[in-house]
Each structure stands twice: as structure tokens, then as C-alpha cells.
Amino acid sequence: ATLAIPIDKNTSLITDTVSTEKKVTGWKGLDRKSANQGGGPYPPDIAMAVGPSHVVQIVHTALQIWDKEGNTVGFSFIKNFFNTKTGHFIGDQDIIYDKNTNRWFASIFDLGLIDPNTGDPTCKPNGCNILVAVSANEDPTSTWSIYSFPFGFLIPDYPHIAVTNDKFVFTVNDFPISEGDFLGTQIIVADKNSMINGQDISYVTTN
């Protein structure tokens, strides 16, 4: 059966010509092998953000910066970018660009030293932490400030970051460092203005 849909006589029909031809260009980003000759964690858990003039991508082991023509203008291994200690269990990266302040925000977890026998994190010697990097301006190749949010002997898993007009926010899923079940989700809210100005910060935590 054919369904006839009546057209209201007062409705104007608008027609336009739509071009179906559009050239899409791009370039190869980071993967676990290009970021680390020895390979890296799999999957690479890609995070990416785009600003006015740059594209930034992070995988478990490295961060790379391109201009919008696809030219590489910056590269760093994550352990160097966040200044973590040798032998630490790091990853679960995220990155965003905040157009209101023209700043980049990037994060990882640092779960302390890796147990040489099991390969698991230990939260030792200084507890597990979320590390957040904030750029000095809209240019991601410039300097960044690093902030540390401590979680003691809880694993702050799967962190994801966001911003409002005046707040920096991230969420984590908490797990005990020893074997155990999921403990719940935390939301952490910090003062964004202090972070973009490289100042000490205050923050609150909700469960």
C-alpha cells in the first residue's frame, strides 16, 4: 500500500542544489607501534582534541601535535610530558581544548610502581594519582603546568575530563589496589581559573 502524505497549501517547498563531491584529506596518527618501537599497551586508547591551529593526539605511551596541514610540530613520550617516575604504571589518557580560555587540558592516571612479578600497579610509593596538564595558552607546543590529584591506595580508573565556565571537572571509577569489586564513581571539581593561571588549587570530591 502507498501512504499519501498531504502537503499543507500554506507550506512553501524549498529546493536547493547539493554537491555530492567533497575531497576529504587527513594523515596517519599515532598507534602503539609508531609511539613506541617496542610496542605499547593494546588497545592504545586514543584521545584527541582540536584547537584553532593544532590537532593533539595521545595514546598510552606518547603525545603528538600537528598543525592543521598535517605537519608534525611536537612529540613527547607521556612519561616525559607528565614528568612521571621510571617504572610507573601510567595511562588512561584524555585531552580537551577549552575555547573559552584558549587552553588545553590533558590527563592520565599514575598508579605508582609496577609490580615486577605480576605487572600490576601498586600505588607505591606515593599513592595513586590523576595528573592533569594545562597549557599556558592556545599553542600546545608551549609550556604546560602539571597538577596532581591524590587517591591514596584506590585505583582511579577510566578518568575523563571536562570544563565549565569556571570549573575543571573529572570523573573516575574507584577500585581497591588489592583484588576487589568496583567501589563507585567519584566526581572531582576544581577551580579552573587557578589552573589556567598556574596557581595552587582547591577542589571538592563527591561520590
Side-chain angles (χ1 to χ4, degrees):
T2 301
L3 177 64
I5 302 176
I7 298 177
D8 191 313
K9 64 181 180 180
N10 296 317
T11 301
S12 299
L13 297 179
I14 300 174
T15 60
D16 197 0
T17 302
V18 178
S19 173
T20 58
E21 295 183 6
K22 184 177 181 180
K23 185 177 180 181
V24 178
T25 60
W27 58 88
K28 187 178 186 298
L30 287 171
D31 57 30
R32 64 190 292 260
K33 290 185 177 180
S34 63
N36 184 349
Q37 291 183 350
Y42 186 82
D45 283 357
I46 296 167
M48 181 182 293
V50 179
S53 304
H54 298 88
V55 177
V56 183
Q57 182 189 359
I58 311 180
V59 295
H60 275 308
T61 52
L63 175 149
Q64 189 156 340
I65 305 169
W66 296 267
D67 63 23
K68 289 194 173 179
E69 300 301 317
N71 302 302
T72 297
V73 295
F75 176 89
S76 177
F77 287 110
I78 289 297
K79 62 182 181 180
N80 299 329
F81 182 81
F82 283 94
N83 195 30
T84 62
K85 302 294 184 182
T86 300
H88 276 218
F89 193 111
I90 59 176
D92 266 14
Q93 55 282 343
D94 198 9
I95 187 166
I96 59 175
Y97 180 77
D98 177 23
K99 65 180 181 180
N100 290 328
T101 59
N102 296 318
R103 298 291 197 278
W104 300 82
F105 293 80
S107 67
I108 62 168
F109 63 31
D110 179 351
L111 306 184
L113 289 168
I114 299 171
D115 186 319
N117 298 315
T118 65
D120 294 330
T122 64
C123 287
K124 296 178 180 179
N126 299 313
C128 289
N129 295 272
I130 295 295
L131 304 181
V132 178
V134 186
S135 68
N137 50 52
E138 68 180 30
D139 182 359
T141 67
S142 66
T143 58
W144 295 64
S145 299
I146 308 294
Y147 290 91
S148 179
F149 294 82
F151 284 82
F153 283 84
L154 291 178
I155 294 178
D157 192 36
Y158 203 59
H160 280 286
I161 60 180
V163 291
T164 67
N165 288 337
D166 61 347
K167 298 293 188 294
F168 170 80
V169 183
F170 68 93
T171 60
V172 295
N173 295 326
D174 289 334
F175 291 87
I177 189 61
S178 56
E179 291 186 7
D181 295 331
F182 170 58
L183 299 175
T185 298
Q186 289 193 72
I187 303 172
I188 293 83
V189 182
D191 179 57
K192 185 176 76 171
N193 291 327
S194 296
M195 296 178 74
I196 66 175
N197 289 309
Q199 300 170 347
D200 292 340
I201 60 170
S202 59
Y203 61 92
V204 295
T205 301
T206 61
N207 296 320

